[in-house]
Amino acid sequence: MYYFWKMARELPRPPKEVDLHADAFIHQLDEYEADELLAESIDLLREMLDAAIYWDYPEIRFIHGKGKGILRKAVYEELAYYKRSGAIANYHPSYRNEDVVVVVIGL
């Protein structure tokens, strides 16, 4: 029998900082529409944030960049949901680089 805890234990540790720009993790960008790339970036954010929560990271950083602000807006909307649900304590722009959001997981 395969238990959930065993499956969850196989969840890899995420990096401390994750670049959400599609070109950082998708190799054939021309096969995607803009909205699909945005969805892939948000999926990566969820995957890495869930893993960071699981591994009890105190915080994790996500690079959203400048651009038109579309990715940044989507990232902040997703983080607002995580905060409302109680999964994270807080999030804020990095004091050193406003193109990065710092997610505080525990208090």
Side-chain angles (χ1 to χ4, degrees), residues 16 26 43 45 48 52 95:
K16 303 277 185 189
I26 295 176
D43 285 346
L45 174 126
M48 296 294 108
Y95 300 117

Side-chain angles (χ1 to χ4, degrees), residues 11-18 47-49 51-53 55 57 60:
L11 191 63
R13 286 183 180 266
K16 303 277 185 189
E17 186 170 89
V18 179
E47 180 183 334
M48 296 294 108
L49 183 52
I53 291 167
W55 285 103
Y57 281 22
I60 186 169

Side-chain angles (χ1 to χ4, degrees), residues 8-94:
R9 247 321 184 203
E10 295 173 4
L11 191 63
R13 286 183 180 266
K16 303 277 185 189
E17 186 170 89
V18 179
D19 190 346
L20 296 176
H21 292 97
D23 60 353
F25 62 94
I26 295 176
H27 300 291
Q28 297 177 347
L29 293 174
D30 56 339
E31 294 181 8
Y32 292 84
E33 297 293 326
D35 59 332
E36 293 172 321
L37 292 172
L38 180 60
E40 292 289 332
S41 293
I42 296 304
D43 285 346
L44 178 63
L45 174 126
R46 290 177 186 141
E47 180 183 334
M48 296 294 108
L49 183 52
D50 290 346
I53 291 167
Y54 173 79
W55 285 103
D56 293 325
Y57 281 22
E59 70 177 35
I60 186 169
R61 297 169 176 268
F62 293 99
I63 303 168
H64 53 68
K66 290 180 185 165
K68 296 179 181 179
I70 296 168
L71 179 57
R72 180 182 65 238
K73 182 179 181 222
V75 165
Y76 276 76
E77 287 174 2
E78 190 66 22
L79 293 175
Y81 170 77
Y82 271 82
K83 184 173 180 187
R84 281 192 309 274
S85 70
I88 62 172
N90 208 353
Y91 58 94
H92 58 83
S94 170

Side-chain angles (χ1 to χ4, degrees), residues 94-105:
S94 170
Y95 300 117
R96 296 181 183 168
N97 183 349
E98 64 185 28
D99 301 342
V100 176
V101 62
V102 178
V103 180
V104 180
I105 296 170

